Amino acid sequence: MVLSKTFSESDVSIHSTFASRYVRTSLPRWGKFLNLENVCRFRMPENSIPKEAAYQIINDELMLDGNPRLNLASFVTTWMEPECDRLIMSSINKNYVDMDEYPVTTELQNRCVNMIAHLFHAPLGESEAAVGVGTVGSSEAIMLAGLAFKRKWQNKRKAEGKPTDRPNIVTGANVQVCWEKFARYFEVELKEVKLSEDCYVMDPHKAVEMVDENTICVAAILGSTLNGEFEDVKLLNDLLAEKNKLTGWDTPIHVDAASGGFIAPFIYPELEWDFRLPLVKSINVSGHKYGLVYAGIGWVIWRGKQDLPEELVFHINYLGADQPTFTLNFSKGSSQVIAQYYQLIRLGFEGYQNVMENCRENAVVLKEGLERTGRFKMVSKDMGVPLVAFSLKDSSRHDEFEVSEYLRRFGWIVPAYTMPADAQHVTVLRVVVREDFSRTLAERLVMDIEKVLHELDALPPSKPIATAVTEVDFQEKKKLDGGNCNGKVLLRKKSDLETQREITDVWKKFVMQRKIANGVC
């Protein structure tokens, strides 16, 4: 291939070769950091580079990311129709908060809020507008809902002449980390109902027992991230209503429906978890999960205007008109709002129902395939978010973390994790079944898991296992105490493969330390 030049004298980063048409080095060489490219990565370059070079440098590195379609750890949508992709790109330069400049975008958000409110059975009049707002995700939505509960509780306590310095929220220990963030950032005590083996969601009876006069709300999860299970919001409502009646309190409920809010209405329509229950005052849902929109959109809906204190709503007018706003941030893109509206009108109730039923059926295919191996215990429930959480029946030789690691060789990203406190001895693998996870992929994943199990079975155990010590006679065995005999520790002899592995690991560490010492990264 003929070498060619397509740059000026100042473009010192460009030297064309067949292997790389625009750049020879991994990063442009510039300034005084000529020989320290690992430092250059964290400094702005002194000179510009051609757009083609910048694109290739970044694109080459991004190729090393995992494939989003095979990322089975995430609940977040990884595929949308091309028509919606075009809408997203055409509106990517619109700032959502410029409501007066982009009134149609604002109208689309209002339509989404009302559609979702009706989906959640908000008690609205014929022409009454729903109360809600779009957010960057359920984390922001939960912050806003929590602030509303805290302010309402404070206002009531002040009116009664009571102290307001010790608010708390009651949740299960299975809540997402955003609840811990809210509690820490806004100085609210988080009272968690502990989990136990075979019960990985909040027990409504225990939750209501923890409620006191300082409880601003009880948070129920519709779709636990641990195993996809729905908490019993109906039972929680009934028990809490009874306690409120006995004590004179009016402790409300918030439903964190980040994962399940776009599932339950379509495939479990008889399940009462939403505004049909009188104590449910607000609900958050992630549009970028089973709302089927790319990452960056969430929603929070209130039962009515009385549940969102007016003093939390700001009114700004410097952009040309009065604009009420209740968000933690200000500027944000309009693309995800428009994409959510596209999905709601494109799919309708029928389309969402079809998608969720397909997800559930594919989860069943995956579950049955894993059960046929005879190696796994199911931790997820049949009713809930379409995911499959499972543990090894026998983890004495190899554990779930090794299965997860070996699956990456096939391209699959399947997380392994331990359960929260009081159930931390339980380790699970979890596969989230999204719209783009087909039955073919489910069957393929089972095949690859079986291959991984066969590979691990052929390897020496990664964990120490109890083995008989053959070179000790019967009399000496009786003197053994915790593996010690006359002060000497008896060890199982390592196999040749185990010894070779240890030598390889030591050599790798040595080489890596030398690289670091020499500035090679």
Side-chain angles (χ1 to χ4, degrees):
M1 172 62 93
V2 178
L3 296 178
S4 62
K5 286 189 176 184
T6 58
F7 57 95
S8 67
E9 292 299 320
S10 64
D11 291 328
V12 295
S13 65
I14 308 302
H15 194 165
S16 177
T17 67
F18 178 74
S20 181
R21 185 164 299 182
Y22 300 110
V23 288
R24 170 175 285 179
T25 56
S26 60
L27 280 176
R29 297 190 179 112
W30 60 76
K32 57 186 177 182
F33 301 113
L34 182 63
N35 297 318
L36 295 174
E37 291 187 6
N38 58 319
V39 176
C40 293
R41 297 174 192 272
F42 305 102
R43 307 261 184 157
M44 181 182 291
E46 294 179 3
N47 302 314
S48 301
I49 60 175
K51 60 183 183 296
E52 298 89 351
Y55 174 83
Q56 184 178 339
I57 289 170
I58 298 170
N59 188 63
D60 286 351
E61 283 203 82
L62 289 176
M63 288 192 299
L64 300 176
D65 269 346
N67 183 339
R69 292 280 302 276
L70 300 182
N71 178 10
L72 307 182
S74 178
F75 292 83
V76 175
T77 297
T78 53
W79 177 86
M80 296 187 75
E81 294 174 324
E83 291 78 9
C84 192
D85 288 345
R86 291 202 296 270
L87 283 173
I88 289 172
M89 291 309 300
S90 67
S91 58
I92 203 165
N93 58 351
K94 292 182 181 178
N95 187 358
Y96 170 74
V97 298
D98 295 345
M99 299 179 185
D100 194 52
E101 288 76 5
Y102 308 121
V104 175
T105 300
T106 302
E107 171 64 18
L108 297 187
Q109 189 227 215
N110 294 337
R111 293 177 190 176
C112 288
V113 167
N114 281 270
M115 288 181 185
I116 296 170
H118 285 289
L119 190 66
F120 295 166
H121 298 95
L124 300 173
E126 187 65 29
S127 59
E128 184 179 0
V131 180
V133 66
T135 63
V136 294
S138 275
S139 291
E140 184 188 6
I142 285 168
M143 302 284 176
L144 298 178
L147 284 171
F149 282 120
K150 183 180 179 182
R151 183 56 59 90
K152 283 206 67 174
W153 175 81
Q154 288 175 328
N155 291 344
K156 182 183 178 185
R157 298 280 289 181
K158 288 177 181 178
E160 295 172 346
K162 296 178 180 178
T164 61
D165 59 333
R166 299 185 62 186
N168 68 69
I169 286 181
V170 176
T171 71
N174 57 315
V175 292
Q176 218 264 356
V177 69
C178 59
W179 285 98
E180 298 177 34
K181 288 183 178 180
F182 169 76
R184 188 177 302 179
Y185 295 167
F186 296 103
E187 299 180 322
V188 176
E189 179 189 1
L190 190 66
K191 299 170 71 173
E192 294 184 330
V193 178
K194 296 185 181 299
L195 309 182
S196 61
E197 188 169 355
D198 296 326
C199 183
Y200 305 116
V201 294
M202 179 179 68
D203 183 334
H205 293 90
K206 294 179 180 178
V208 172
E209 288 176 5
M210 297 175 72
V211 170
D212 58 32
E213 63 178 351
N214 294 317
T215 302
I216 64 175
C217 79
V218 180
I221 312 298
L222 194 77
S224 171
T225 57
L226 300 179
N227 68 344
E229 188 175 353
F230 291 165
E231 292 182 345
D232 194 340
V233 187
K234 175 69 164 61
L235 178 58
L236 176 65
N237 178 88
D238 295 344
L239 294 173
L240 191 55
E242 185 177 341
K243 184 163 187 173
N244 284 345
K245 185 177 180 180
L246 292 173
T247 59
W249 304 333
D250 57 355
T251 307
I253 295 172
H254 174 85
V255 179
D256 180 356
S259 299
F262 276 111
I263 296 171
F266 303 107
I267 56 178
Y268 306 114
E270 303 304 318
L271 181 67
E272 294 185 45
W273 63 273
D274 51 18
F275 293 121
R276 285 170 288 184
L277 303 175
L279 291 182
V280 174
K281 303 299 182 182
S282 56
I283 300 171
N284 69 275
V285 64
S286 291
H288 59 222
K289 292 181 180 176
Y290 287 92
L292 308 181
V293 178
Y294 293 137
I297 186 68
W299 304 93
V300 57
I301 311 295
W302 282 272
R303 186 182 194 87
K305 291 182 179 179
Q306 69 279 4
D307 298 303
L308 175 58
E310 176 60 30
E311 63 264 34
L312 293 179
V313 180
F314 287 82
H315 294 266
I316 58 175
N317 62 11
Y318 69 84
L319 292 175
D322 178 67
Q323 301 172 8
T325 176
F326 180 38
T327 58
L328 294 182
N329 66 317
F330 191 65
S331 295
K332 69 174 181 179
S334 298
S335 297
Q336 268 63 21
V337 172
I338 293 169
Q340 183 72 83
Y341 185 67
Y342 171 89
Q343 293 289 47
L344 291 172
I345 66 169
R346 158 75 176 94
L347 295 173
F349 192 95
E350 176 190 29
Y352 269 96
Q353 188 175 55
N354 289 337
V355 170
M356 301 312 154
E357 286 177 348
N358 286 340
C359 290
R360 180 174 59 181
E361 290 170 7
N362 289 338
V364 171
V365 169
L366 177 59
K367 174 190 172 186
E368 292 175 348
L370 293 172
E371 288 176 332
R372 281 195 299 271
T373 68
R375 303 286 294 272
F376 297 105
K377 172 188 175 183
M378 293 299 122
V379 178
S380 51
K381 305 296 182 182
D382 291 335
M383 183 175 183
V385 176
L387 63 78
V388 182
F390 51 102
S391 297
L392 284 167
K393 290 181 178 178
D394 180 8
S395 57
S396 60
R397 291 174 54 85
H398 301 282
D399 59 24
E400 290 81 0
F401 294 100
E402 289 175 275
V403 175
S404 174
E405 180 182 353
Y406 272 68
L407 280 172
R408 280 184 175 262
R409 294 164 52 189
F410 296 93
W412 302 107
I413 302 174
V414 178
Y417 52 88
T418 56
M419 289 295 189
D422 294 328
Q424 65 267 32
H425 60 285
V426 178
T427 305
V428 301
L429 293 151
R430 187 193 69 200
V431 173
V432 179
V433 178
R434 301 187 302 269
E435 179 187 12
D436 55 353
F437 185 75
S438 66
R439 186 160 303 190
T440 300
L441 288 178
E443 294 169 348
R444 182 72 193 202
L445 176 59
V446 173
M447 293 169 57
D448 289 342
I449 289 175
E450 289 179 321
K451 291 178 184 177
V452 166
L453 293 175
H454 288 313
E455 287 188 48
L456 291 174
D457 288 342
L459 295 176
S462 60
K463 298 180 177 182
I465 59 175
T467 57
V469 183
T470 58
E471 299 179 3
V472 181
D473 62 30
F474 178 76
Q475 294 300 324
E476 288 177 321
K477 284 182 181 180
K478 292 201 298 184
K479 297 177 183 178
L480 287 174
D481 180 19
N484 292 307
C485 182
N486 296 326
K488 296 181 179 180
V489 179
L490 298 175
L491 299 176
R492 178 177 61 84
K493 186 179 179 180
K494 297 176 182 176
S495 68
D496 292 340
L497 182 57
E498 287 177 294
T499 302
Q500 184 179 351
R501 274 182 161 184
E502 285 192 2
I503 293 172
T504 303
D505 289 340
V506 170
W507 178 250
K508 284 181 178 178
K509 290 179 181 178
F510 172 75
V511 173
M512 184 57 65
Q513 289 172 352
R514 288 291 299 272
K515 284 184 176 181
I516 295 173
N518 294 332
V520 179
C521 186

